[in-house]
Amino acid sequence: MNKQHAQKRLTELKKLLADYSYHYYVLDEPTVTDAVYDGLMRELKGIEAAYPELITPDSPTQRVGGQALDQFTKVEHSSRMVSLNDVFSREEVEEWLARTEKLAPGRATEFFADIKMDGLGCALVYEDGVFVRAITRGDGYVGEDVTANVRTIASVPLRLRHEVADEFKPFLQGRTEIRGEIIMHKKDFEALNHAREQEGLPLFKNPRNLAAGTIRQLDPKLVAARPLHFRGYDLLRDNPDEVPTAMFAYKAMRALGLAANTQAQVFTSLDDVMHFVDLWDKKRHDLPFNTDGLVVKINDRKLYRELGIVGKNPRGAVAYKYPAEEATTLVKDIVLSIGRTGAATPVAVFDPVVVAGTTVQHASLHNADEIERKDVRVGDTVVIFKAGDIIPQVDRVLLELRPKTAHTFNMEKELARQYPELQFVRPEGEAVYRVKGATGPLLLKKALEHFASRGALDIEGLGEKNVVALVDAGLVQDIADIYLLTYDQIVVLDRFAEISTKKLLGAINDAKKPPLPRFIFGLGIRHVGSQTAIDLAEHFGSLPAVADATLDQLLAVDGVGQVVAESILAWFADPDNQALMQKFTDVGVRPQYVSHANGPLHGQRFVVTGTLESMGRDEAAEKIRELGGTFQSSVGKDTTYLVAGGKVGASKLKKAEAFGTTVIDEGAFLKLLRG
């Protein structure tokens, strides 16, 4: 992205994020989830990091939050309500600790960690133990006075408990401020939505938005009718030395009658902190409230203060964010995949983005009707999520960010362009286009025959007729099923006896560790011939790396162009093929990669024409590849040798002469093979 495009994208993002913030903070009408907002904010931060000269004072990265509502009295906070820097990995936590150690060598010995609540930030003020005011976070400096509404929350004590230990009694005198989150429990949220559904009313989006919207209602009676909770995370005094540690603040809050998370702990090592992080990543869905991560801070409050604040973030704390279950990304292309049943599936290709802990770069759009319903276009910014935390799906398009260059996807035109040799039909009453004249069993037979062929896995005994017998008997539903075949299943078939059955099972078992290029070729990915399969194996080194490759990474492979790259992306994005790959793993198939990059013929390209006496053309091609050379089907500018056997075609000799390609006979070719 050049500076001009960066400037344009920044303008769009800032305008959209400002609009989201206005609806969220001012009108109390949130239009997107936090994950969507965070995704766009991360993109904005990334561009600003690349072009810091484009940062402007009105950027949402330069402030904590939005303005206070005019309907409530604005109140200045006693001290700024800060936000925390986000971290997403152990490495980023280590970097934070390294910065702390540099500023305060040997002093950061205890770390306080607690679950980060997904609610509305609020400060409760007590004078001589009596509740006098509640202030929302606002922009961090000035918030909204919501005292009347917060007074209705049962978990907010109107008077602090006086039956406390001596160490907490000072908090009953003078000004004591408790900062925390106003939340709604998940079960209460579900009950409210169930009741609204019964009444035919629109459902609330999520507990956090409902809690925030409730507190900003002008009628306290409405607030009282909704089950809100307050949980504290900080305690402030005019004399900060009265609160020596973060954990002491939690003990004091609970003693004084305010809820604070009981899961919070103090640790003395990073390993223990990360164990706590991992523990709650697994258990967080069991909590009564929603969370998107943890807060990790220096336990020593004096050191915490001394470390100070940079911009809007304290140096002494970070927010460890768990992987987002939603994210935003750009649709770079829409390609088509033909499944084993002949169904054509459109697949959206994305800029890679992390969702629920894994990198996502493509997702099925299912069919033409689904594309039209969601109005997905190439060039759109879309919100994606993982259905069941597994399968990437496109949720919706952010129309506000649609560029003028975005273009619609015409299914029939793209089928004709991407598969000109095939005809497709859309049966009446169905949403899916299928290959005309092809059935699932027919396609499976062809796929299995190719998979077992000499150029692929070379499975002896699995020729055309035996493939037909296995498929027609219902023993094979996909090509991975051959590894599940048993003696008793096969021996009863007409074409098999005891010896032939054992031979076939032995050959199949021997094919559990096939050479990676042969396996890739055997998958039958459109446009991926044996040489392209070798190029992919040499470039990526493993099957998972090929499957996870981005469009740009595929285009970087020698000999892989746009059409081939799109075909590979589409194949690995197809849900049926993803299930097939998992099945191969489950049955113990482990493709092996052995590099031939240093072979004696590396960098040399061969074309064989005419008839060779010592071997067939396929065998010659295999020997060339085993020695690191490249086998070509036609003479080109980069061809090193044209091997001329008997009955040579004149056209290839003419091309070789035109390109300056060396022509050798079979004898010279055999000498090259022998080295």
Side-chain angles (χ1 to χ4, degrees):
M1 181 181 293
N2 59 34
K3 187 173 181 179
Q4 183 179 359
H5 289 153
Q7 177 70 72
K8 184 174 183 295
R9 185 68 172 174
L10 276 179
T11 301
E12 294 172 342
L13 288 171
K14 287 192 293 186
K15 181 179 182 299
L16 185 59
L17 288 169
D19 185 63
Y20 286 164
S21 293
Y22 174 75
H23 280 83
Y24 188 86
Y25 293 107
V26 179
L27 300 183
D28 190 27
E29 296 174 354
T31 54
V32 294
T33 64
D34 288 353
V36 172
Y37 186 97
D38 290 344
L40 296 176
M41 180 68 84
R42 282 195 296 272
E43 182 182 355
L44 180 63
K45 288 179 179 178
I47 297 173
E48 289 183 345
Y51 297 96
E53 67 272 21
L54 298 181
I55 298 176
T56 57
D58 67 339
S59 173
T61 64
Q62 304 303 298
R63 63 177 182 179
V64 176
Q67 59 183 310
L69 288 170
D70 291 333
Q71 294 96 323
F72 294 99
T73 303
K74 296 177 182 179
V75 180
E76 186 174 351
H77 287 291
S78 60
S79 62
R80 186 179 182 185
M81 289 188 75
V82 297
S83 60
L84 303 181
N85 268 324
D86 293 338
V87 294
F88 298 89
S89 66
R90 180 189 178 103
E91 290 72 24
E92 290 184 275
V93 177
E94 289 174 342
E95 291 170 3
W96 167 65
L97 292 180
R99 292 192 297 270
T100 302
E101 177 65 20
K102 187 175 180 180
L103 293 169
R107 294 181 61 192
T109 58
E110 288 188 341
F111 309 102
F112 175 86
D114 184 26
I115 295 165
K116 183 176 179 292
M117 295 166 287
D118 192 17
L120 173 70
C122 190
L124 310 183
V125 180
Y126 289 83
E127 294 286 357
D128 295 331
V130 178
F131 174 64
V132 296
R133 180 169 289 172
I135 313 165
T136 63
R137 177 190 296 274
D139 65 358
Y141 294 101
V142 176
E144 309 149 5
D145 187 333
V146 289
T147 306
N149 287 346
V150 171
R151 185 181 291 273
T152 68
I153 299 175
S155 59
V156 174
L158 301 181
R159 180 185 294 272
L160 297 177
R161 290 181 68 250
H162 280 56
E163 300 79 13
V164 295
D166 290 345
E167 60 182 338
F168 304 129
K169 285 185 177 178
F171 305 135
L172 300 174
Q173 303 297 320
R175 187 182 191 278
T176 298
E177 180 175 339
I178 308 293
R179 291 183 173 179
E181 299 277 336
I182 295 174
I183 61 173
M184 179 174 288
H185 288 172
K186 291 183 287 189
K187 64 178 181 61
D188 294 329
F189 174 77
E190 291 167 2
L192 279 173
N193 261 349
H194 178 71
R196 290 179 69 85
E197 186 176 25
Q198 297 297 313
E199 297 174 20
L201 298 173
L203 303 185
F204 296 120
K205 291 187 176 181
N206 57 61
R208 190 253 182 262
N209 289 346
L210 179 54
T214 300
I215 288 299
R216 292 191 178 94
Q217 295 291 327
L218 294 178
D219 184 1
K221 292 180 181 178
L222 189 151
V223 182
R226 293 180 181 172
L228 299 178
H229 301 265
F230 178 87
R231 285 179 179 249
Y233 62 70
D234 204 358
L235 189 153
L236 304 180
R237 290 283 289 177
D238 292 338
N239 178 7
D241 293 336
E242 293 179 354
V243 188
T245 67
M247 181 55 83
F248 180 87
Y250 269 51
K251 292 178 179 177
M253 286 186 289
R254 286 195 285 266
L256 294 167
L258 289 124
N261 290 339
T262 57
Q263 297 84 4
Q265 292 187 42
V266 174
F267 304 101
T268 57
S269 72
L270 174 62
D271 286 341
D272 289 339
V273 170
M274 294 312 301
H275 177 74
F276 188 75
V277 168
D278 294 338
L279 172 69
W280 284 107
D281 187 15
K282 298 173 184 176
K283 295 177 60 178
R284 58 189 166 121
H285 296 295
D286 297 330
L287 291 166
F289 52 83
N290 286 334
T291 177
D292 61 355
L294 300 178
V295 172
V296 182
K297 61 174 68 175
I298 303 298
N299 192 37
D300 186 329
R301 292 287 287 267
K302 183 178 181 181
L303 176 57
Y304 181 92
R305 293 192 301 274
E306 290 177 6
L307 288 171
I309 295 175
V310 177
K312 57 184 176 61
N313 309 120
R315 289 192 179 97
V318 290
Y320 190 103
K321 288 293 192 75
Y322 292 122
E325 295 177 356
E326 279 190 342
T328 58
T329 187
L330 291 170
V331 178
K332 298 178 70 174
D333 203 355
I334 297 176
V335 297
L336 292 166
S337 171
I338 307 300
R340 61 182 177 83
T341 64
T345 302
V347 176
V349 179
F350 307 134
D351 273 341
V353 63
V354 176
V355 184
T358 58
T359 300
V360 173
Q361 56 191 12
H362 42 59
S364 171
L365 294 173
H366 304 294
N367 53 60
D369 290 349
E370 186 74 356
I371 295 176
E372 184 177 356
R373 184 181 71 81
K374 293 182 177 178
D375 191 18
V376 180
R377 304 182 187 183
V378 176
D380 275 340
T381 298
V382 295
V383 177
I384 59 174
F385 69 101
K386 279 195 170 182
D389 290 334
I390 298 174
I391 303 171
Q393 301 281 350
V394 173
D395 181 52
R396 62 193 182 280
V397 175
L398 296 179
L399 296 175
E400 305 93 326
L401 288 177
R402 172 169 286 167
K404 293 181 180 179
T405 54
H407 57 275
T408 57
F409 182 82
N410 186 302
M411 188 75 172
E412 292 189 352
K413 286 184 178 179
E414 285 301 311
L415 285 169
R417 183 184 71 83
Q418 296 186 34
Y419 296 90
E421 76 281 13
L422 299 176
Q423 285 186 299
F424 293 86
V425 294
R426 180 175 175 175
E428 186 176 349
E430 293 189 15
V432 177
Y433 286 84
R434 300 182 184 276
V435 178
K436 185 177 181 180
T439 63
L442 176 61
L443 292 171
L444 176 57
K445 290 171 185 176
K446 290 182 177 179
L448 183 52
E449 188 179 346
H450 172 76
F451 184 74
S453 68
R454 184 171 182 179
L457 272 68
D458 193 17
I459 302 176
E460 187 177 355
L462 204 52
E464 179 183 355
K465 292 182 179 179
N466 283 351
V467 164
V468 170
L470 292 171
V471 174
D472 287 348
L475 298 179
V476 177
Q477 303 299 321
D478 57 49
I479 58 178
D481 273 346
I482 61 170
Y483 294 98
L484 297 174
L485 292 171
T486 66
Y487 177 86
D488 291 339
Q489 288 176 324
I490 300 174
V491 74
V492 297
L493 300 180
D494 289 341
R495 292 188 51 80
F496 292 90
E498 181 180 347
I499 294 177
S500 58
T501 298
K502 290 181 178 179
K503 282 186 176 180
L504 176 59
L505 289 174
I508 291 173
N509 187 64
D510 291 342
K512 278 194 171 183
K513 293 183 178 180
L516 179 59
R518 285 176 170 270
F519 186 81
I520 294 173
F521 175 61
L523 292 176
I525 303 171
R526 189 166 177 266
H527 299 308
V528 176
S530 54
Q531 185 59 52
T532 300
I534 291 172
D535 294 337
L536 289 168
E538 291 287 348
H539 187 90
F540 292 105
S542 72
L543 187 62
V546 177
D548 294 337
T550 65
L551 182 64
D552 290 340
Q553 289 171 336
L554 289 168
L555 290 173
V557 179
D558 186 30
V560 173
Q562 187 77 23
V563 172
V564 178
E566 288 181 350
S567 179
I568 296 168
L569 274 177
W571 196 93
F572 283 107
D574 188 288
D576 284 344
N577 293 333
Q578 291 172 356
L580 178 66
M581 298 307 295
Q582 184 59 52
K583 193 170 186 178
F584 274 124
T585 299
D586 294 342
V587 298
V589 177
R590 302 288 187 271
Q592 306 295 302
Y593 169 65
V594 178
S595 176
H596 298 292
N598 296 322
L601 298 185
H602 177 66
Q604 300 179 37
R605 300 175 183 272
F606 294 78
V607 173
V608 177
T609 186
T611 304
L612 300 181
E613 294 182 0
S614 59
M615 67 190 78
R617 186 172 301 184
D618 289 343
E619 186 179 353
E622 188 171 340
K623 290 182 179 297
I624 290 168
R625 290 164 181 154
E626 287 176 351
L627 295 173
T630 300
F631 180 79
Q632 297 178 317
S633 58
S634 60
V635 178
K637 293 180 180 180
D638 59 349
T639 304
T640 311
Y641 296 106
L642 173 62
V643 181
K647 299 180 182 180
V648 178
S651 62
K652 288 187 177 179
L653 289 173
K654 189 174 181 179
K655 276 188 177 181
E657 183 180 356
F659 291 134
T661 302
T662 301
V663 180
I664 59 175
D665 60 16
E666 185 172 352
F669 174 58
L670 293 175
K671 287 182 180 179
L672 287 173
L673 294 181
R674 290 193 293 266

